Amino acid sequence: DFANGNVVPAEWMAEPLKLGFGSYQVGVGGLHSTHDQQVYLQASETMLLSDFDVASYYPNIMMVAGLIPKLGGNKGKVFLDEYQKIYETRIAAKRAGDKKTANTLKIVLNGTFGKLGSIYCSFYSPDLLLAVTLTGQLNLLCLIYDLETIKGAQVRSANTDGVLVAYPPEARQQVLDVFTKNNKRTGFEYEETPYAKYAAKDVNNYLAIGVDGKVKRKGLYGVSGISEADTPGGKNPTMEVCSNMAIEYLKTGVIDISQHKDMRDFVSVRNVKGGGIQYDRYVEVDDWELIEDHDSAQNVWQNGKGKQVKRKSRPKPYEVGQGGEPFGRVARWYMTTKDMPPLSYIDSGNRVPKTEGARLCLTLPKELPKDLNKQWYIDETLSILADLGVSI
């Protein structure tokens, strides 16, 4: 079914599907596991960890199955030919280590697929979008089923285009055979990444350390800014030093904040619509006036800021910020040992989330400030590790 141009999930998609060791949520967008929350896994002599995925999975399905938007004439073939060229260029760049080109073309491929669901695009084909995503999910479920029949093997996580498998060394060839058979049947090429450690808050937020020492960071723990991260574009900085220290703990078993000197790793950045301010202090004000007396809950009270409320009794006093300098629509801050009010939105007066104990930092200092609350960052790192299922 379609509503306002969007695909409406079927009722049978509401409940997770139990399959072997785990449970999986099927959806319009893709498959994801629901059993992998606060999971910490470590490879050993008796257990291997391998992540298998398909590069550009959904674009691959479109090309292998010949699924094209309704463009008329021979435009469908032209579309697939050009799509194939972009895909091959992207794969070549990825294998050559050219992450900039590979990640840029990944956006082109996935963005084109995404436009199948946009009513404002000439590629709009919601039935095609659903055909692609359901095909992809059914293929993953077949893989999971086959893997779960191997003695000692478990699918510990699955998300859209791949699976994470834990298995004993003696079952490795059987695991590889599953993907080889699937490749012959579907044409999909699977890439394996062996992990030494895997720590997940949930399926979309995790840290993984490869056997080669390389780190994969996803979701909350991703690299900030315009980067060469696994996900193109990165994200706004969010006290990245904490994720870095969590990674170091997974590698070494030690948390050492003294090794971190770059102020950029200690700040968070957030858009503040309409601009904001960090007041020097708050004072309590009780200036409510009764402007409409109905001797009921409909009494109208107004304060000195012009705000009106309806209630029978006089409203409680409220806090008003004083001092401070307004700033623009982008806030940057670090956690301080000084007692300072949180950042606030100028227009609404609401507090900017997660700025309790913060200090505005619009100009980055060359050295770490003396009032940097290092213990806060250590505690936050410990909280991240707990979310990842790591016991300390």
Side-chain angles (χ1 to χ4, degrees):
D1 293 332
F2 307 104
N4 298 322
N6 298 315
V7 180
V8 179
E11 290 184 7
W12 61 268
M13 292 183 175
E15 293 295 325
L17 171 67
K18 180 69 177 176
L19 183 58
F21 171 80
S23 58
Y24 306 88
Q25 185 68 58
V26 176
V28 170
L31 182 81
H32 67 267
S33 46
T34 59
H35 59 276
D36 48 349
Q37 298 185 17
Q38 291 187 309
V39 174
Y40 176 52
L41 302 172
Q42 185 171 350
S44 66
E45 293 181 355
T46 59
M47 182 182 74
L48 302 179
L49 294 170
S50 291
D51 181 79
F52 295 90
D53 66 14
V54 181
S56 301
Y57 188 40
Y58 285 171
N60 250 293
I61 293 173
M62 291 176 64
M63 292 182 291
V64 171
L67 301 173
I68 55 176
K70 299 181 179 68
L71 299 173
N74 71 335
K75 292 179 182 178
K77 182 180 183 306
V78 174
F79 174 92
L80 276 182
D81 288 345
E82 293 303 314
Y83 206 54
Q84 182 78 34
K85 289 177 184 178
I86 296 171
Y87 169 77
E88 291 173 354
T89 304
R90 191 236 163 182
I91 296 302
K94 186 176 181 180
R95 290 173 178 167
D98 183 359
K99 290 185 177 181
K100 187 175 183 179
T101 299
N103 286 341
T104 299
L105 295 181
K106 179 178 180 179
I107 294 173
V108 174
L109 290 168
N110 292 339
T112 301
F113 162 74
K115 288 300 181 182
L116 297 177
S118 173
I119 196 171
Y120 303 105
C121 181
S122 59
F123 294 158
Y124 177 63
S125 302
D127 54 335
L128 176 55
L129 180 143
L130 196 57
V132 172
T133 60
L134 289 181
T135 298
Q137 292 173 88
L138 288 171
N139 181 62
L140 281 187
L141 289 171
C142 289
L143 277 173
I144 293 167
Y145 177 85
D146 290 341
L147 290 165
E148 291 281 351
T149 63
I150 300 172
K151 184 178 180 180
Q154 292 179 337
V155 176
R156 300 305 301 265
S157 182
N159 192 12
T160 307
D161 60 359
V163 295
L164 173 66
V165 192
Y167 56 97
E170 60 270 21
R172 176 163 176 76
Q173 191 56 54
Q174 290 176 274
V175 169
L176 295 178
D177 287 345
V178 168
F179 292 96
T180 300
K181 291 177 181 177
N182 185 276
N183 165 261
K184 290 180 179 178
R185 184 172 68 247
T186 65
F188 301 143
E189 294 185 14
Y190 293 90
E191 298 178 346
E192 179 189 6
T193 305
Y195 289 156
K197 294 181 180 180
Y198 174 82
K201 181 177 186 291
D202 53 45
V203 70
N204 293 313
N205 302 283
Y206 64 84
L207 296 172
I209 299 176
V211 295
D212 57 1
K214 292 183 179 179
V215 179
K216 188 173 184 179
R217 313 165 59 131
K218 286 293 186 178
L220 295 171
Y221 318 115
V223 178
S224 62
I226 300 175
S227 64
E228 293 182 346
D230 293 304
T231 302
K235 61 183 180 60
N236 281 339
T238 51
M239 313 294 187
E240 197 166 301
V241 68
C242 299
S243 295
N244 292 341
M245 288 194 293
I247 290 169
E248 290 166 9
Y249 181 84
L250 292 176
K251 287 184 172 183
T252 67
V254 175
I255 296 175
D256 185 3
I257 197 171
S258 67
Q259 301 301 311
H260 298 271
K261 307 293 185 182
D262 192 335
M263 187 60 189
R264 291 174 296 181
D265 293 338
F266 288 85
V267 298
S268 280
V269 175
R270 183 186 180 96
N271 288 329
V272 179
K273 188 176 181 179
I277 188 170
Q278 183 167 37
Y279 294 111
D280 292 332
R281 61 194 173 278
Y282 279 91
V283 297
E284 190 175 90
V285 175
D286 186 5
D287 61 359
W288 292 101
E289 293 185 1
L290 181 63
I291 60 174
E292 290 185 24
D293 186 357
H294 301 286
D295 194 25
S296 70
Q298 297 301 311
N299 289 344
V300 179
W301 301 81
Q302 181 171 295
N303 65 15
K305 300 178 72 173
K307 180 179 179 180
Q308 293 186 359
V309 296
K310 290 184 178 181
R311 54 180 293 162
K312 185 172 183 179
S313 59
R314 182 186 184 86
K316 294 180 180 180
Y318 60 97
E319 289 186 329
V320 174
Q322 294 186 339
E325 291 292 332
F327 58 88
R329 62 182 182 84
V330 177
R332 180 168 60 199
W333 68 89
Y334 65 89
M335 307 313 290
T336 176
T337 55
K338 294 188 176 182
D339 185 16
M340 301 185 69
L343 279 60
S344 300
Y345 289 85
I346 284 283
D347 293 341
S348 66
N350 294 333
R351 310 290 170 85
V352 176
K354 299 182 179 180
T355 58
E356 294 285 346
R359 183 169 190 170
L360 191 65
C361 181
L362 298 182
T363 302
L364 282 174
K366 293 182 179 179
E367 298 181 353
L368 299 184
K370 293 182 179 179
D371 67 329
L372 185 74
N373 191 345
K374 293 184 179 180
Q375 188 58 50
W376 184 95
Y377 293 93
I378 293 172
D379 291 342
E380 182 67 13
T381 301
L382 294 172
S383 177
I384 287 174
L385 289 168
D387 287 342
L388 294 171
V390 181
S391 300
I392 299 179

